[in-house]
């Protein structure tokens, strides 16, 4: 399977931009924490829509939601090792890896919907040939 890294990167950037907006929109509470799932869903949908097909959309949507989070996890784990020690950092990183797998599911579903929507869009009308 060929991975369209441009679609994955675009979905990730959309998720980051929307995540920043959602986190600045208001204080986090028990009800507003569900809004934090929105960036992953929208980013997965965008990545899935950039490729065609349900299977490709699911893979690209899942990758878009976890690729950037994985890079951030590595950076935070290195920082945690330097400041709190290796055992607490390893415990936090193991919980975060589990969270990455959980985040990949909605991103993959949204990517599958995006890939399906692209394939199902209405065909463009053909232009009539110019009269001679």
């Amino acid at each position: 399977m060929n991975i369209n890294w441009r679609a994955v990167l675009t979905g990730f950037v959309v998720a980051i931009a929307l995540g920043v907006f959602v986190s600045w929109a208001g204080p986090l509470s028990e009800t507003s924490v569900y809004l934090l799932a929105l960036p992953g869903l929208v980013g997965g949908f965008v990545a899935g829509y950039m490729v065609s097909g349900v299977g490709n959309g699911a893979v690209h949507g899942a990758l878009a939601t976890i690729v950037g989070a994985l890079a951030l996890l590595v950076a935070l784990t290195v920082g945690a090792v330097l400041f709190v020690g290796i055992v607490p950092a390893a415990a936090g990183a193991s919980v975060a890896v589990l969270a990455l797998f959980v985040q990949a599911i909605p991103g993959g579903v949204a990517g599958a919907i995006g890939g399906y929507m692209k394939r199902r869009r209405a065909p463009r009308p053909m232009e009539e040939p110019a009269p001679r």
Side-chain angles (χ1 to χ4, degrees):
M1 168 180 275
N2 293 330
I3 301 295
N4 184 349
W5 290 106
R6 180 175 288 170
V8 171
L9 182 63
T10 303
F12 169 68
V13 168
V14 166
I16 289 294
L18 193 58
V20 168
F21 177 74
V22 166
S23 65
W24 284 344
L28 292 178
S29 66
E30 291 179 10
T31 56
S32 68
V33 78
Y34 294 114
L35 288 175
L36 295 177
L38 186 66
L41 291 172
V42 173
F45 180 83
V46 168
Y49 193 80
M50 289 182 70
V51 297
S52 184
V54 175
N56 284 337
V59 169
H60 286 80
L63 281 174
T65 56
I66 65 170
V67 164
L70 188 60
L72 183 63
L73 173 64
V74 168
L76 290 177
T77 302
V78 169
V81 166
L82 295 176
F83 290 107
V84 297
I86 193 153
V87 174
S94 63
V95 170
V97 167
L98 177 64
L100 286 177
F101 288 121
V102 171
Q103 289 175 349
I105 294 169
V109 170
I113 292 170
Y116 175 77
M117 298 271 296
K118 181 174 184 178
R119 184 166 286 200
R120 296 290 301 172
R121 70 179 176 195
R124 295 181 182 169
M126 295 181 61
E127 294 182 23
E128 296 180 19
R132 293 184 183 194

